Amino acid sequence: MSFKWLSVLVFAAATVSAQRLRFAGVNIAGFDFGCSTDGTCNIASACPPLTQFGCADGLGQMQHFVKNDGYNVFRLPVGWQYLTHSKMTGVLDKTQFANYNMLVNACLSTGAYCVIDIHNYARYNGQIIGQGGPSNKIFAELWSNIARHWKKERRIIFGLMNEPHDIPDIHTWVGSVQAAVTAIRRTGATSQIILLPGNDYTSAETFVSGGSADALNRVRNPDGTITNLVMDVHKYLDYDNSGAHATCSTNGIESSWLPLLTWLRKNGRQALNTETGGGADDSCVGYLLQQIAYQAAHSDVFLGYIGWAAGAFQTDYTLSETPHYTGTGWNDASVVSKALSPKANRLVSSVA
């Protein structure tokens, strides 16, 4: 590691003192392959990240990330269509769900927390949930069936929806979110974290200014509390916040994290950064370390970060965090080994 990044780490450690983030991890992608931002998912394009499906050794990756990097959470994206075998319903297809459950069980076997992430952009085949697409009743049924399976598993986190965008009415969307929350809790899954996604690809930068924060602040558990209802946000550090570029140009603090911090503190809420990352470039290493240090310094409201992405992604993908196996062991992508790994940044609790 260069002197420059060693200096960043020393500064970060001094900044946070004894404060640490609760969660750090990575997305284990593949069950979501074939899904587009319009909510269409070609399930034939899914590449389940498990050796028995011939795509990737997701279990081996997660075991490595826990043992060698100190990660304690994995987000497991999956297309709605995959779980229901391309039927617009809340009823799970037994075979398809069993396949996905193999990945969830692999995740749980590592001792980590596991985020169930429906990766459909608030849509099903181009139509918005509760606003011309699947009804809130169908969306709630989907989550009821998912939650019922894991209602007694404390290390499951329910990620209601990946990156809603271009939602005509955020308040109507909040009704859809509330329906899912209520359905989950009524199964008996009362203790798990539920992640609440906002509009604009759930961007941390516009979460407050775009109205998502205030709208989602009305979502409640059936008993009226907000316990374990956590805001779901994403932040990439390239120039246009897209995550499409190998270089980074910001740490996101002034534009995104400071306004969100202010709102979270004022309203007594918390947030989890479930997608972040950067390319194999020193600019991304430096800015990611600054972002993580800032969040750790305010770990009362920021729970942690989950990098994008490993699993079935190839190691040459722009934002790849997929480790390379040489035959004798796993080797991390540079952005992991230099910035995102808790053993590198020392900004994450050793026990979640």
Side-chain angles (χ1 to χ4, degrees):
M1 182 178 293
S2 69
F3 176 77
K4 176 181 179 181
W5 302 130
L6 179 62
S7 299
V8 171
L9 285 175
V10 171
F11 170 76
T15 300
V16 301
S17 299
Q19 292 177 298
R20 296 289 186 270
L21 293 167
R22 180 180 178 188
F23 294 119
V26 62
N27 284 264
I28 306 297
F31 275 103
D32 57 311
F33 284 11
C35 291
S36 301
T37 59
D38 64 355
T40 58
C41 293
N42 177 7
I43 64 175
S45 297
C47 191
L50 295 165
T51 56
Q52 52 265 55
F53 294 102
C55 280
D57 185 5
L59 173 59
Q61 291 180 26
M62 290 186 284
Q63 290 172 333
H64 157 72
F65 282 134
V66 170
K67 179 181 179 181
N68 300 117
D69 290 306
Y71 281 134
N72 57 25
V73 63
F74 299 104
R75 185 170 178 252
L76 312 175
V78 63
W80 183 342
Q81 287 89 335
Y82 188 91
L83 294 178
T84 62
H85 210 276
S86 298
K87 295 178 181 178
M88 194 180 74
T89 177
V91 178
L92 301 171
D93 180 271
K94 290 182 179 180
T95 300
Q96 299 291 97
F97 181 71
N99 291 344
Y100 179 67
N101 192 31
M102 291 180 195
L103 182 64
V104 180
N105 285 335
C107 175
L108 290 170
S109 74
T110 70
Y113 283 76
C114 310
V115 181
I116 310 300
D117 164 52
I118 304 298
H119 215 75
N120 276 70
Y121 305 89
R123 289 160 168 78
Y124 190 101
N125 291 350
Q127 295 186 307
I128 299 172
I129 298 165
Q131 301 183 52
S135 66
N136 288 353
K137 181 179 180 180
I138 291 175
F139 187 49
E141 181 184 29
L142 175 71
W143 273 109
S144 179
N145 287 325
I146 291 171
R148 189 174 292 109
H149 187 81
W150 289 297
K151 64 183 180 181
K152 295 182 179 179
E153 178 50 69
R154 71 179 186 87
R155 288 182 178 265
I156 288 291
I157 296 172
F158 299 115
L160 297 183
M161 182 56 58
N162 176 69
E163 295 191 344
H165 65 90
D166 298 294
I167 303 296
D169 189 332
I170 186 63
H171 302 289
T172 302
W173 170 242
V174 166
S176 302
V177 171
Q178 181 65 70
V181 168
T182 300
I184 290 170
R185 295 303 192 215
R186 285 180 175 169
T187 67
T190 57
S191 63
Q192 294 91 342
I193 290 172
I194 301 176
L195 300 174
L196 311 182
N199 200 5
D200 197 22
Y201 297 90
T202 207
S203 168
E205 185 167 343
T206 59
F207 204 78
V208 176
S209 62
S212 291
D214 284 340
L216 289 168
N217 200 28
R218 301 198 307 271
V219 177
R220 293 291 187 272
N221 292 309
D223 64 1
T225 68
I226 59 172
T227 304
N228 285 326
L229 299 182
V230 172
M231 301 301 173
D232 188 359
V233 295
H234 293 175
K235 180 60 182 172
Y236 290 102
L237 304 181
D238 49 359
Y239 78 92
D240 61 357
N241 192 37
S242 68
H245 306 93
T247 59
C248 298
S249 60
T250 179
N251 57 25
I253 293 172
E254 291 296 324
S255 66
S256 304
W257 301 118
L258 178 57
L260 183 56
L261 168 69
T262 302
W263 186 91
L264 292 169
R265 285 256 173 85
K266 178 181 177 181
N267 291 278
R269 305 301 295 249
Q270 295 177 314
L272 178 62
N273 184 9
T274 60
E275 279 191 30
T276 193
D281 186 87
D282 274 355
S283 62
C284 294
V285 172
Y287 283 130
L288 281 167
L289 283 170
Q290 292 169 31
Q291 173 184 259
I292 295 166
Y294 183 82
Q295 292 176 336
H298 306 288
S299 59
D300 57 318
V301 295
F302 295 124
L303 297 184
Y305 60 90
I306 306 178
W308 184 269
F313 278 113
Q314 298 298 310
T315 55
D316 60 356
Y317 164 55
T318 302
L319 299 186
S320 181
E321 296 175 20
T322 303
H324 175 67
Y325 190 76
T326 62
T328 58
W330 293 94
N331 297 278
D332 280 321
S334 62
V335 73
V336 173
S337 63
K338 294 179 180 180
L340 294 170
S341 168
K343 289 191 176 180
N345 62 48
R346 300 182 181 182
L347 297 172
V348 182
S349 298
S350 57
V351 179

